[in-house]
Amino acid sequence: MGKIIIEYLEGQKIYACKKCNVHVTNQDYLISKQFTGQSGTAFLFDKGVNYLTGIPEDKKLRTGLHTTQDIMCIKCQTYLGWKYLRAYEQSEKYKEGKIILEKLYLTKIKWN
Ligand SMILES: [Zn+2]
């Protein structure tokens, strides 16, 4: 395996991989907490860092057909959520390019 380059986010209120503490995103990028993932509560973020993406797949979700790819931590490769590549319903287009992270796999850093 090649060398992994890990980015460190500046500032407060960082969400990190629960297993290895690699920074993934920040409260500033949070769009919604009203999402549900495989494990329960999930959050929609504008963007993140330090993740790997899987093969694009078409998935029929409650809100219609979407093309998504799984997101894994760049360091420990734990599944964290998914990225929306394409939404087919006009009302869901705002999700394109954005990421879902499941609460169960996240930990909070510098929230005090
Ligand atoms: Zn990790």
Side-chain angles (χ1 to χ4, degrees), residues 18 30 42 49 55 59 62 65 71 85 88 92 101 105:
K18 195 180 201 172
L30 180 67
V49 295
I55 298 158
K59 278 189 187 164
R62 276 177 307 150
L65 185 63
I71 286 179
L85 297 179
Y88 291 80
E92 309 301 319
L101 297 170
Y105 307 120

Side-chain angles (χ1 to χ4, degrees), residues 38 50-59 67-74 77-85 99-100:
Q38 295 172 7
N50 300 323
Y51 63 79
L52 304 167
T53 48
I55 298 158
E57 296 172 87
D58 282 344
K59 278 189 187 164
T67 306
T68 67
Q69 54 188 170
D70 283 352
I71 286 179
M72 285 78 63
C73 171
I74 202 169
Q77 266 131 63
T78 297
Y79 166 86
L80 299 175
W82 67 88
K83 183 172 194 165
Y84 289 106
L85 297 179
I99 61 171
I100 291 282

Side-chain angles (χ1 to χ4, degrees), residues 17-22 73-78 80:
C17 170
K18 195 180 201 172
K19 195 170 170 192
C20 73
N21 287 321
V22 157
C73 171
I74 202 169
K75 190 173 172 191
C76 71
Q77 266 131 63
T78 297
L80 299 175

Side-chain angles (χ1 to χ4, degrees), residues 18 39-43 80 101-107:
K18 195 180 201 172
S39 66
T41 305
F43 305 152
L80 299 175
L101 297 170
E102 302 200 21
K103 190 183 178 189
L104 182 69
Y105 307 120
L106 298 177
T107 190

